[in-house]
Amino acid sequence: MIRYLKHSEIDSEKWNQAVRNSLSPNVLAEYELLDLLTGDDTWHALVDDDYQAVMPLPTRKKGVLKYVYTPFFLPQMGIFYRQDIRMSVYVRFLEEISKHYVLADLLMNEQNAWDIDELEFPPYFISYKLPLQQSYNELFIRFHENTKRNIKASQKHQCRITVQEEKVSDIIALFRENKGSEEAVHFRDDDYARLQRVSDYLLEHNLLEIYGVRTSDNKLAAGALIVKDGKRRWFWFSGRDNRLSECKPMFLLLDAYIRDHAESELFLDFNGSRNPNVARLYQGFGSTEHLIPFVRIYKNKFWETILSKQLSKLS
């Protein structure tokens, strides 16, 4: 039976075990990090039986309207379950959400993607993954030719790679002063402060790698925060100085990271992007595309009709 639990009713230990033992574990969906990621908001949950399957529900209010949203800096939410999810379970979770919220925007996870066509809930969020089990030379062969050219061009500028030397605050500032100044970016001061708090927690628990690129005159050209999550490495947050774009620093940074972690059991999850230029950057390193469903729920007659259609398929 699926239960709706308020934040105060959630057993943090059972929650974390459910997320960690699922087929799509995500350290950022664990109890303590969800607290940090939701900040001044809160989160509640759907729990099936004794935490056999769980689903976080970060919650906000606008006036009397209570809705579920996907927090910034949280790659993938959805249902966390240790077994393959049957369509009936999927629909039951979505139906339960509509009993408690009038609106929900949910970025799901890979385990939740298999039946999305049948449920008719577009669109997808495109993510990219790169297994790192092979040698660097074998991985490099699969880089796109344009990526190889950019790496070689970057090397001519005699930049150097830093590891665990840069401050998180400097990388955040690099983003804010460049990409963050664009109209399409909607981060507020509170969002950047939350990113800093989450990063501090990850560093304290040895869950964050920090890579940087500095020019020959020691200017920070680019930096990246990479979350350590079991065998997954999330390419979580990055920034670069647009004035130093000739150095191609992000190509150099990613190439260095792949070189450092080749022949390991890890895989690099680029965490996707809706920006086609960024997507091409990720694809250029030989990564493969994965589709993550993004579900929007409206509590109205249309939603009830859609649910009725799906439930009738199961009967």
Side-chain angles (χ1 to χ4, degrees):
M1 181 183 71
I2 297 175
R3 296 173 293 146
Y4 174 81
L5 299 183
K6 293 182 179 180
H7 183 270
S8 60
E9 299 172 317
I10 299 169
D11 185 312
S12 60
E13 291 187 11
K14 287 185 177 181
W15 178 273
N16 286 344
Q17 284 300 314
V19 173
R20 291 167 189 168
N21 294 332
S22 72
L23 295 183
S24 188
N26 182 348
V27 67
L28 293 166
E30 294 183 10
Y31 186 93
E32 297 80 6
L33 281 156
L34 280 171
D35 277 356
L36 290 171
L37 284 162
T38 52
D40 294 334
D41 301 316
T42 189
W43 64 280
H44 307 301
L46 298 181
V47 174
D48 193 15
D49 293 330
D50 189 21
Y51 292 79
Q52 299 303 307
V54 300
M55 185 179 193
L57 301 174
T59 303
R60 279 178 174 167
K61 288 184 71 175
K62 282 188 177 180
V64 297
L65 175 65
K66 185 174 67 170
Y67 66 98
V68 179
Y69 73 106
T70 298
F72 288 134
F73 319 121
L74 176 54
Q76 304 180 22
M77 290 197 306
I79 305 165
F80 295 92
Y81 190 32
R82 68 182 66 189
Q83 301 175 23
D84 289 331
I85 296 175
R86 301 187 307 276
M87 189 191 298
S88 58
V89 175
Y90 195 102
V91 173
R92 282 169 50 219
F93 270 90
L94 298 184
E95 185 177 34
E96 191 66 27
I97 291 172
S98 70
K99 295 178 182 178
H100 302 276
Y101 299 94
V102 297
L103 174 66
D105 283 332
L106 298 164
L107 182 62
M108 307 298 277
N109 63 58
E110 292 171 80
Q111 188 185 4
N112 305 159
W114 64 273
D115 58 2
I116 200 67
D117 284 330
E118 297 179 63
L119 285 172
E120 301 171 5
F121 291 132
Y124 294 107
F125 181 80
I126 300 176
S127 187
Y128 300 91
K129 290 168 61 175
L130 177 66
L132 298 172
Q133 287 80 18
Q134 294 179 306
S135 69
Y136 172 75
N137 289 337
E138 290 173 304
L139 293 169
F140 184 81
I141 288 172
R142 292 203 298 275
F143 288 5
H144 294 188
E145 289 304 316
N146 184 60
T147 298
K148 294 176 182 178
R149 285 194 296 270
N150 279 305
I151 292 170
K152 290 179 181 178
S154 180
Q155 291 169 342
K156 293 178 182 178
H157 287 270
Q158 298 183 325
C159 294
R160 66 182 180 91
I161 298 293
T162 66
V163 180
Q164 302 303 110
E165 295 180 24
E166 310 300 343
K167 294 180 179 178
V168 170
S169 57
D170 289 340
I171 295 174
I172 293 175
L174 202 60
F175 178 91
R176 292 190 72 168
E177 294 163 9
N178 293 273
K179 183 69 177 178
S181 64
E182 297 178 6
E183 188 175 343
V185 177
H186 303 294
F187 295 158
R188 303 167 299 178
D189 289 346
D190 288 348
D191 298 316
Y192 291 114
R194 187 175 302 120
L195 175 60
Q196 180 70 59
R197 289 195 295 271
V198 176
S199 298
D200 290 343
Y201 177 95
L202 293 169
L203 278 172
E204 182 182 346
H205 291 81
N206 191 31
L207 293 171
L208 190 68
E209 294 179 286
I210 305 176
Y211 269 60
V213 178
R214 288 193 172 268
T215 61
S216 57
D217 56 352
N218 207 36
K219 293 178 180 177
L220 182 61
L225 308 178
I226 301 164
V227 176
K228 298 161 66 175
D229 185 8
K231 293 183 180 180
R232 187 198 308 255
R233 295 295 181 266
W234 295 102
F235 190 72
W236 186 49
F237 184 83
S238 64
R240 67 181 180 89
D241 191 332
N242 292 336
R243 297 168 300 179
L244 302 172
S245 59
E246 289 184 4
C247 301
K248 311 287 185 185
M250 202 55 70
F251 286 94
L252 194 66
L253 186 152
L254 285 168
D255 179 63
Y257 190 86
I258 292 168
R259 185 190 298 270
D260 289 350
H261 295 80
E263 298 186 76
S264 70
E265 295 183 351
L266 305 176
F267 66 91
L268 178 59
D269 193 321
F270 288 99
N271 196 20
S273 176
R274 292 186 175 90
N275 183 318
N277 293 325
V278 177
R280 278 194 295 272
L281 170 69
Y282 298 158
Q283 288 176 301
F285 285 91
S287 61
T288 55
E289 181 180 286
H290 292 265
L291 300 180
I292 309 299
F294 185 86
V295 176
R296 173 163 286 178
I297 294 172
Y298 290 104
K299 188 176 180 181
N300 56 22
K301 289 185 177 180
F302 174 75
W303 166 244
E304 292 171 0
T305 300
I306 292 292
L307 272 181
S308 296
K309 283 173 60 180
Q310 304 312 321
L311 290 171
S312 66
K313 291 180 182 179
L314 303 172
S315 60

